[in-house]
Amino acid sequence: MPKPLPSPVRYLRLGGWLLFLMTFLYFFRSNVLTSELRSAMSASIITGYVAYLLIGCVRGFTLIPSTSLVLLAIPIIPPLPLFALTLAGILISSMSIYYFSESLHLNDAFEGKHGVRVKKLKQILQGNSMIIIFTWSLFPLVPTDLICYVCGVLRIDFRKFIIGVFLGEGAICGFYIFLGSYVMQLLHATNIP
């Protein structure tokens, strides 16, 4: 087990994460990302794809659902590349969150304050981790990134964790992307703006 971080380093990491969160939320809410993604796509498809993937990779640290980014990109990126890029971004983001939460040693704080609850939650997750993570990732009203933090803190088996995220997010994002693209084509075919 890695040596716990000294308090100042832990607080610097938490402070950096909060600063990143506020900056990302500002740009996300002010529609800067939409215009920048459109600009990147008009410059080059590769540039647009890379920009989308990078945004997808860091999005998880903000707890903004991937659905928001997917809905933003449906009119801009074709469905198949959008699905592949979205899934790649989610997996990279999920892995990063898993290891980031573990590196902060948040489990020490949780186990110290809520030891019995943490033990029960860990037993539940370890017994059925892939099913729980899959279901959580599939359910659109809860952020998948939250279960990534929990799995990282509780040190849930990484393979089961990442497979559950892959299957759950893959299903829900595929549904949104391909249905959304189909609806956009129908609207375009009937000349509805």
Side-chain angles (χ1 to χ4, degrees):
M1 182 163 136
K3 181 181 168 186
L5 296 172
S7 291
V9 175
R10 188 181 303 178
Y11 290 130
L12 279 174
R13 282 191 181 177
L14 284 171
W17 174 57
L18 290 173
L19 180 63
F20 170 77
L21 175 65
M22 291 184 300
T23 304
F24 192 88
L25 287 174
Y26 169 76
F27 286 114
F28 195 83
R29 298 291 185 222
S30 63
N31 294 324
V32 170
L33 288 179
T34 306
S35 62
E36 290 301 318
L37 188 57
R38 284 186 192 277
S39 297
M41 285 297 290
S42 65
S44 158
I45 289 176
I46 300 295
T47 304
Y49 288 176
V50 168
Y52 180 80
L53 179 61
L54 290 175
I55 293 167
C57 289
V58 298
R59 175 218 41 85
F61 288 100
T62 64
L63 295 178
I64 293 174
S66 58
T67 306
S68 302
L69 191 58
V70 165
L71 295 177
L72 171 122
I74 285 175
I76 302 170
I77 301 175
L80 201 51
L82 178 58
F83 179 70
L85 291 168
T86 299
L87 211 46
I90 287 170
L91 292 177
I92 292 168
S93 175
S94 297
M95 286 187 273
S96 300
I97 292 168
Y98 181 92
Y99 288 113
F100 178 77
S101 62
E102 185 178 26
S103 75
L104 288 175
H105 299 280
L106 296 173
N107 58 323
D108 298 336
F110 289 136
E111 287 175 1
K113 291 182 181 178
H114 309 286
V116 174
R117 290 183 186 146
V118 169
K119 186 176 179 180
K120 285 182 184 178
L121 180 59
K122 192 171 185 175
Q123 288 173 344
I124 291 168
L125 274 172
Q126 285 181 340
N128 305 304
S129 58
M130 199 178 320
I131 294 168
I132 292 170
I133 296 165
F134 166 77
T135 306
W136 186 292
S137 299
L138 189 62
F139 193 64
L141 299 178
V142 293
T144 301
D145 307 316
L146 188 57
I147 196 75
C148 297
Y149 279 107
V150 170
C151 288
V153 167
L154 297 178
R155 292 182 226 94
I156 299 303
D157 181 80
F158 180 77
R159 286 174 294 169
K160 290 180 180 179
F161 156 74
I162 205 67
I163 291 171
V165 169
F166 175 77
L167 294 174
E169 282 289 331
I172 193 72
C173 288
F175 175 77
Y176 288 143
I177 290 168
F178 294 109
L179 179 65
S181 296
Y182 178 74
V183 169
M184 295 272 303
Q185 288 175 354
L186 284 178
L187 294 175
H188 183 69
T190 57
N191 295 322
I192 297 175

